[in-house]
């Protein structure tokens, strides 16, 4: 099933949109992420995807306080990702930040044993595997580096280990208003119904 979930990408406490994942080409579209989250809630959405781009670039969670502000002041179920790299960061995202789920991608490539441990410890329902791709190859570190692995191989491996939620972004289409990557998503859903 494909679900449309609004997203807020955060850099320096502001809502931004990068063009094709390029940190040098960003548009600030709102100064207050909480107000944007409330707008999505008023529009009838129940879920929100919050991306800590500062964290993705730094390789560690940065915007925990912002996550907490959104979860305390809305009824949205928030999934949160960007730079999560340790058990304690996941625990903080859930306990302190109020996240319903966490999104992890880079660590699934750079430290598969740790990611697999998280699937067991926190439960596959609480972990969303980020499969960010450029040319059907997995990208990591805030989309700044190639993992050298095809998205199909990546998903196949983690599907066998129990992953049940995947968030896939075609980086080349992101932020350019060219619509979803239907061809890619059709390939993925055909192989992993």
């Amino acid at each position: 099933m494909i679900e449309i979930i609004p997203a807020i990408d955060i850099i320096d406490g502001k809502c931004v949109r990068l063009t094709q994942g390029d940190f040098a080409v960003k548009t600030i579209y709102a100064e207050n992420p909480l107000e944007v989250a409330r707008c999505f809630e008023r529009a009838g959405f129940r879920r929100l995807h919050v991306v800590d781009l500062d964290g993705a670039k730094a390789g560690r969670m940065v915007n925990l306080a912002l996550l907490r502000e959104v979860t305390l002041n809305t009824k949205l179920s928030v999934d949160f990702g960007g730079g999560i790299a340790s058990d304690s960061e996941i625990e903080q995202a859930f306990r302190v930040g109020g996240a319903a789920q966490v999104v992890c991608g880079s660590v699934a490539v750079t430290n598969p044993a740790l990611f697999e441990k998280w699937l067991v410890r926190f439960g596959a329902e609480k972990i969303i595997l980020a499969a960010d791709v450029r040319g059907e190859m997995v990208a990591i570190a805030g989309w700044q580096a190639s993992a050298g692995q095809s998205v199909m191989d990546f998903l196949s491996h983690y599907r066998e280990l129990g992953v049940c939620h995947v968030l896939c972004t075609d980086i080349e289409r992101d932020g350019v208003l060219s619509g979803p990557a239907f061809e890619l998503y059709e390939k993925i859903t055909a192989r992993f119904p």
Side-chain angles (χ1 to χ4, degrees):
M1 175 177 118
I2 294 176
E3 180 180 2
I4 297 173
I5 304 168
I8 297 176
D9 295 356
I10 307 298
I11 294 179
D12 296 328
K14 297 177 175 83
C15 301
V16 303
R17 171 55 58 201
L18 303 181
T19 299
Q20 296 179 318
D22 186 346
F23 279 78
V25 186
K26 74 178 177 195
T27 301
I28 298 171
Y29 66 91
E31 297 282 329
N32 187 330
L34 175 58
E35 285 308 311
V36 174
R38 286 177 170 156
C39 183
F40 286 135
E41 186 176 38
R42 285 190 302 272
F45 287 98
R46 295 183 192 155
R47 289 186 64 186
L48 178 66
H49 176 64
V50 176
V51 184
D52 180 356
L53 288 175
D54 296 310
K57 195 170 185 180
R60 61 177 173 70
M61 188 169 52
V62 173
N63 285 295
L64 180 64
L66 193 140
L67 168 64
R68 181 170 173 75
E69 183 179 23
V70 169
T71 60
L72 284 176
N73 293 288
T74 71
K75 294 179 182 173
L76 295 165
S77 175
V78 179
D79 63 69
F80 180 76
I84 294 174
S86 69
D87 292 23
S88 65
E89 287 180 329
I90 290 181
E91 289 168 358
Q92 288 178 24
F94 289 138
R95 187 175 29 78
V96 176
Q101 294 173 298
V102 294
V103 181
C104 306
S106 294
V107 77
V109 172
T110 61
N111 193 343
L114 179 60
F115 183 78
E116 292 166 23
K117 181 179 117 180
W118 291 347
L119 288 173
V120 173
R121 179 173 177 195
F122 298 103
E125 284 293 323
K126 301 287 271 181
I127 306 288
I128 300 172
L129 176 63
D132 301 322
V133 299
R134 183 174 311 209
E136 295 192 27
M137 298 299 286
V138 174
I140 59 171
W143 300 355
Q144 304 307 296
S146 174
Q149 185 176 17
S150 81
V151 68
M152 294 302 186
D153 291 344
F154 181 69
L155 293 176
S156 180
H157 171 74
Y158 283 112
R159 180 76 173 114
E160 290 174 11
L161 295 173
V163 163
C164 53
H165 300 291
V166 173
L167 179 71
C168 182
T169 301
D170 182 336
I171 298 163
E172 293 170 334
R173 297 183 72 98
D174 195 69
V176 295
L177 298 175
S178 61
F182 288 117
E183 185 177 312
L184 172 64
Y185 301 146
E186 285 171 356
K187 285 182 191 177
I188 291 171
T189 56
R191 181 148 174 207
F192 308 101

